[in-house]
Amino acid sequence: MFILKYGTILNLPRKLLCKISFLRELFKCSLCLGFWVGIIVYFISKNEYILFPFVSAGICWIIDNINNVIQSIEIKLDKEQK
């Protein structure tokens, strides 16, 4: 999910995909993107754990929010140093 949402190597494909409104909205939401990535991984790996997409969505959402908090703290510290 993080490579799809934030990876610089995928900037060009992401820009092309985000021209479609549904996909643009999907890439804005880590919970949604995490769920659909979980669905894809579930079917590719033939995992027996049916709740895998929901667990994937929750973990992606939590880690994305932790990442946002860390970035906010970093921005605040940078402003205080100036």
Side-chain angles (χ1 to χ4, degrees), residues 4-22:
L4 290 174
K5 191 170 180 180
Y6 298 115
T8 56
I9 197 165
L10 294 177
N11 279 344
L12 182 61
R14 187 172 40 249
K15 285 180 185 178
L16 294 173
L17 288 174
C18 286
K19 290 182 180 183
I20 302 168
S21 64
F22 170 75

Side-chain angles (χ1 to χ4, degrees), residues 62-76:
I62 288 169
I63 293 175
D64 194 40
N65 282 315
I66 290 170
N67 185 39
N68 289 340
V69 168
I70 291 170
Q71 286 179 344
S72 297
I73 292 169
E74 181 181 16
I75 291 169
K76 183 180 178 186

Side-chain angles (χ1 to χ4, degrees), residues 1-81:
M1 190 282 301
F2 290 99
I3 294 171
L4 290 174
K5 191 170 180 180
Y6 298 115
T8 56
I9 197 165
L10 294 177
N11 279 344
L12 182 61
R14 187 172 40 249
K15 285 180 185 178
L16 294 173
L17 288 174
C18 286
K19 290 182 180 183
I20 302 168
S21 64
F22 170 75
L23 293 176
R24 182 175 44 250
E25 294 300 316
L26 183 65
F27 274 88
K28 288 180 184 178
C29 176
S30 60
L31 189 66
C32 304
L33 192 57
F35 176 79
W36 289 107
V37 167
I39 291 274
I40 292 167
V41 170
Y42 173 78
F43 283 112
I44 289 173
S45 67
K46 296 181 175 61
N47 191 340
E48 294 178 11
Y49 188 56
I50 192 73
L51 296 176
F52 184 79
F54 298 104
V55 173
S56 171
I59 290 172
C60 290
W61 181 79
I62 288 169
I63 293 175
D64 194 40
N65 282 315
I66 290 170
N67 185 39
N68 289 340
V69 168
I70 291 170
Q71 286 179 344
S72 297
I73 292 169
E74 181 181 16
I75 291 169
K76 183 180 178 186
L77 290 175
D78 284 345
K79 287 182 180 180
E80 289 176 357
Q81 288 181 353

